[in-house]
Amino acid sequence: MVEIPFFGGGVSFNPTTDIPSLAGKVILVTGGNSGLGKQAILDLVKHSPARIWLAARNAENARNTVAEITSRCPDAAPLIKTLDLDLTSFESIKAAAGRVVAESDRLDILMLNAGIMMAPAGQTKEGYEIQFGTNHVGHAFLTKLLLEPLLLPTASRQEDVRVVVVSSEGHRLPTMTGIPYDKVKTDMKDSYSVTRYGQSKLANVWFAREMARRYPQIKTVSVHPGAVNTNLATPFRESNWFLNTFSAPVMMLMTPVEIGVKNQLWAATGQPKESVVSGEYYVPVGKAGGSALSKDDKLAAELWEWTEKELEGQSI
């Protein structure tokens, strides 16, 4: 992992007892087939939502995840629907959003959880650097497509609507360069993978901050889950024999997903709802943080405007 920080303080949060009833609510979790996404769905479904969309790129893995969750929580079976979603493809994002809009009349929690970390140089189908395109552009496009038909109408009924963007302390990495917009439509192979990852995570924080400003009726926050033992960094480890050989002891010291998921669950459901401040970046659990660069409102607005221009004319 890039960084294994220690965060003291914060709030006490037990998903079993502190997540309120979710009766009637519709939830969508990207990257729901493994790691933090799977754990989030397992914890959320125990509180009786109307539906949880489990969005994942691999349909078979998604079905297997649903089977695993329902084996542990049999009442979950009718509540979870799988959703094919490849964040590297605008066509896939449009199809996924179109299905959600067609089959749901509301959306209460959008958890933008999926992501890749320190991947080898590559590009999405639309040509964006693979980490920036997946972690930021794909999620921004999905949010845009769900905003007018579902998120805003749900909020207009005085419902507690939240968008939770899973970022990381990796957002601190590009402190000197920010985001080079003239290069993000290349594979950026001349930059370190860790730098490319940091740019995508900085974009996550800025996106949440600016969305909170533009749409105050929706509570939007970004979160760092901590140094969690997931498969997120697997491609990076497998590309480096040294890391692949010696990473196992480090992984054993990392936070298990059952603990790491608490910050995003608190952000999505924490009560009283005023305790979660829209636009903030939170470290575990519920503690406001972030770098000075991540709090730059001018740069956050610049990212939003650049992204809107990139997505101009795109619709379901």
Side-chain angles (χ1 to χ4, degrees):
M1 298 289 285
V2 176
E3 186 176 349
I4 305 179
F6 172 77
F7 300 107
V11 301
S12 174
F13 185 79
N14 182 334
T16 301
T17 57
D18 294 333
I19 294 178
S21 170
L22 300 174
K25 292 185 179 293
V26 175
I27 302 166
L28 192 158
V29 180
T30 69
N33 64 303
S34 64
L36 292 167
K38 179 171 74 172
Q39 185 63 43
I41 292 172
L42 177 60
D43 285 321
L44 289 166
V45 80
K46 295 175 182 176
H47 299 269
S48 305
R51 176 174 297 169
I52 297 183
W53 289 97
L54 188 161
R57 183 170 56 180
N58 186 296
E60 182 179 358
N61 288 347
R63 289 191 294 269
N64 290 340
T65 298
V66 172
E68 180 183 342
I69 291 173
T70 54
S71 71
R72 299 170 64 181
C73 183
D75 293 342
L79 306 180
I80 304 174
K81 281 198 172 187
T82 60
L83 181 68
D84 294 341
L85 174 64
D86 181 354
L87 289 167
T88 70
S89 162
F90 280 11
E91 181 180 359
S92 176
I93 296 167
K94 289 178 184 180
R99 184 180 169 207
V100 174
V101 170
E103 298 184 27
S104 301
D105 61 0
R106 63 187 294 156
L107 184 57
D108 300 84
I109 298 172
L110 175 59
M111 188 175 288
L112 304 178
N113 166 83
I116 57 174
M117 177 181 177
M118 300 186 211
Q123 291 171 270
T124 68
K125 291 178 176 63
E126 279 67 42
Y128 301 99
E129 188 278 315
I130 190 70
Q131 295 182 91
F132 188 80
T134 302
N135 297 347
H136 168 62
V137 178
H139 274 140
F141 189 28
L142 178 65
T143 305
K144 177 183 176 69
L145 295 179
L146 296 175
L147 189 62
E148 294 287 344
L150 291 178
L151 290 167
L152 287 173
T154 307
S156 72
R157 297 191 291 268
Q158 304 301 310
E159 298 288 351
D160 180 13
V161 178
R162 305 193 196 187
V163 175
V164 179
V165 188
V166 179
S167 181
S168 84
E169 282 293 277
H171 82 271
R172 297 177 182 274
L173 292 167
T175 52
M176 298 301 292
T177 58
I179 296 173
Y181 296 107
D182 59 331
K183 297 180 180 179
V184 294
K185 261 197 157 176
T186 72
D187 62 11
M188 295 185 68
K189 63 182 179 181
D190 293 333
S191 299
Y192 291 114
S193 182
V194 67
T195 301
R196 302 194 299 268
Y197 171 71
Q199 289 167 175
S200 73
K201 295 290 99 178
L202 179 61
N204 287 157
V205 181
W206 279 345
F207 175 77
R209 191 173 183 88
E210 184 63 10
M211 181 165 171
R213 188 184 71 82
R214 291 175 181 251
Y215 299 98
Q217 61 272 59
I218 297 171
K219 191 182 295 290
T220 307
V221 300
S222 56
V223 299
H224 169 54
V228 183
N229 189 349
T230 71
N231 61 2
L232 186 62
T234 297
F236 182 59
R237 293 198 307 273
E238 291 180 346
S239 70
N240 185 302
W241 71 267
F242 180 84
L243 288 175
N244 200 36
T245 302
F246 296 102
S247 63
V250 175
M251 298 298 288
M252 291 176 64
L253 296 175
M254 290 183 175
T255 304
V257 291
E258 296 83 357
I259 303 299
V261 77
K262 288 184 177 183
N263 204 27
Q264 64 204 71
L265 289 175
W266 170 82
T269 67
Q271 299 296 322
K273 63 182 181 180
E274 293 78 16
S275 63
V276 182
V277 179
S278 197
E280 277 287 2
Y281 165 83
Y282 288 102
V283 298
V285 171
K287 184 178 179 181
S291 66
L293 187 62
S294 74
K295 298 177 186 297
D296 191 314
D297 291 333
K298 181 179 179 181
L299 294 179
E302 181 180 305
L303 171 75
W304 185 280
E305 289 160 7
W306 177 89
T307 306
E308 282 288 293
K309 186 174 181 180
E310 291 295 305
L311 300 177
E312 191 173 14
Q314 298 285 348
S315 62
I316 295 173

